[in-house]
Amino acid sequence: MNNKYRRLLDGTNSDNDFWPTFTDLLATILLVVILIMVTTTIHNDNATKAMQNEIEQRKKKIEEQEEQIAMLTGVRQDIVNKFEAEFKKTKLDIEIDKETGAIKFNADLLFETGKAEVRPEFKEQLKTFIPIYFNVLYKDNKESIAEIVVEGHTDDVGSYMDNLDLSQRRAYNVVRYILSDEFGDFPFKSEVVKDITANGRSESQLKKKDGKVDRQKSRRVEFKFRLRNFAIDESK
């Protein structure tokens, strides 16, 4: 009987087995917690550094884009200033947009009403205009020129689609004449052949005066140029 209850009353061996095991468990839990905290701290530091690097890269790209915009703006303004200086020496009846450099011819000399053939009077104006125009564009800025656009515009008389067809044919005939043997050679013609396009705008960009459509000014041909947008290397 003494042997039967001795194991219940004598708890020394059980306590000695339990407490070291519990202590080891607490130590293990504490170590895991510390490891988690250290890992989290390292991850947060890495994430912070990665975010800072991303911010620096974006900042650099923005600065590069701002420099590019400033450069292109300077090129465009220089071209506009040269247009004004050179065409002031002529008797051409044209209007130069001081912001974009777009040049508009007055409508009266361009085409017969409702027709797309270039009138002789307009051909004579183009003979004077074209050599000056392309010499200014290409002489000092050839690498910056991306596209030359000849745009045909109509007034609001007639349907949109009829006017679209008419404006397209007028722009096309101007380009065809410029590049023809009849017109002859001019500075940078080989470059112009690659860059020039003809677009018809129909009545989508009407000119207005005192809130009303100015039909005479709406019927026009415009010469526009687009500068090359030099791509920024995204790998930097």
Side-chain angles (χ1 to χ4, degrees):
M1 185 173 180
N2 289 335
N3 292 332
K4 180 178 180 180
Y5 292 103
R6 185 175 293 116
R7 290 191 300 270
L8 296 176
L9 296 174
D10 187 1
T12 303
N13 292 336
S14 299
D15 289 341
N16 289 339
D17 291 340
F18 173 76
W19 286 109
T21 303
F22 182 69
T23 302
D24 292 343
L25 179 61
L26 287 177
T28 301
I29 294 173
L30 181 60
L31 179 60
V32 171
V33 171
I34 292 173
L35 288 174
I36 292 174
M37 292 176 64
V38 170
T39 302
T40 302
T41 302
I42 293 174
H43 175 75
N44 289 339
D45 288 343
N46 291 337
T48 300
K49 290 179 181 178
M51 185 178 295
Q52 290 175 342
N53 289 336
E54 179 68 18
I55 291 173
E56 289 299 321
Q57 290 177 3
R58 290 183 179 273
K59 181 180 177 181
K60 185 178 179 180
K61 288 179 181 179
I62 290 173
E63 290 174 349
E64 290 174 346
Q65 290 171 344
E66 289 176 344
E67 290 177 2
Q68 185 183 63
I69 291 172
M71 183 271 291
L72 293 177
T73 301
V75 169
R76 184 178 297 277
Q77 190 57 56
D78 181 61
I79 290 173
V80 171
N81 292 341
K82 288 179 179 178
F83 278 162
E84 291 181 330
E86 293 300 317
F87 287 119
K88 189 176 182 180
K89 302 173 185 177
T90 73
K91 296 181 180 180
L92 293 173
D93 191 7
I94 58 177
E95 295 179 17
I96 303 173
D97 189 308
K98 295 182 181 296
E99 293 185 3
T100 67
I103 297 181
K104 180 185 81 69
F105 283 82
N106 283 334
D108 293 345
L109 298 175
L110 307 187
F111 309 93
E112 298 289 347
T113 303
K115 296 182 179 180
E117 290 73 23
V118 181
R119 292 180 63 181
E121 294 88 345
F122 187 25
K123 287 182 178 181
E124 287 302 313
Q125 286 211 3
L126 288 172
K127 284 277 190 179
T128 302
F129 172 80
I130 291 301
I132 298 173
Y133 183 78
F134 287 113
N135 189 57
V136 169
L137 280 183
Y138 285 90
K139 184 178 180 180
D140 297 320
N141 304 288
K142 183 168 62 174
E143 298 301 321
S144 298
I145 303 301
E147 186 179 30
I148 308 298
V149 182
V150 177
E151 283 189 352
H153 297 260
T154 67
D155 57 26
D156 58 344
V157 177
S159 71
Y160 182 90
M161 293 307 298
D162 286 343
N163 284 331
L164 180 62
D165 175 68
L166 179 60
S167 62
Q168 180 66 50
R169 287 188 290 117
R170 285 178 171 178
Y172 171 78
N173 283 341
V174 170
V175 172
R176 185 174 65 175
Y177 171 66
I178 293 171
L179 301 181
S180 68
D181 293 336
E182 177 187 356
F183 188 91
D185 199 13
F186 57 86
F188 306 102
K189 187 173 184 177
S190 59
E191 284 84 358
V192 173
V193 171
K194 301 174 185 177
D195 296 339
I196 197 166
T197 61
N199 291 337
R201 307 292 293 184
S202 186
E203 56 193 72
S204 61
Q205 296 179 4
L206 294 170
K207 297 292 185 180
K208 294 186 178 182
K209 184 177 181 180
D210 300 327
K212 297 181 179 180
V213 175
D214 188 330
R215 289 176 174 167
Q216 181 177 351
K217 287 187 175 295
S218 294
R219 297 189 300 268
R220 65 195 188 278
V221 168
E222 293 187 6
F223 282 76
K224 298 182 177 181
F225 64 91
R226 185 171 63 83
L227 297 176
R228 193 179 306 280
N229 183 18
F230 298 98
I232 295 175
D233 189 352
E234 295 293 336
S235 64
K236 293 181 180 180

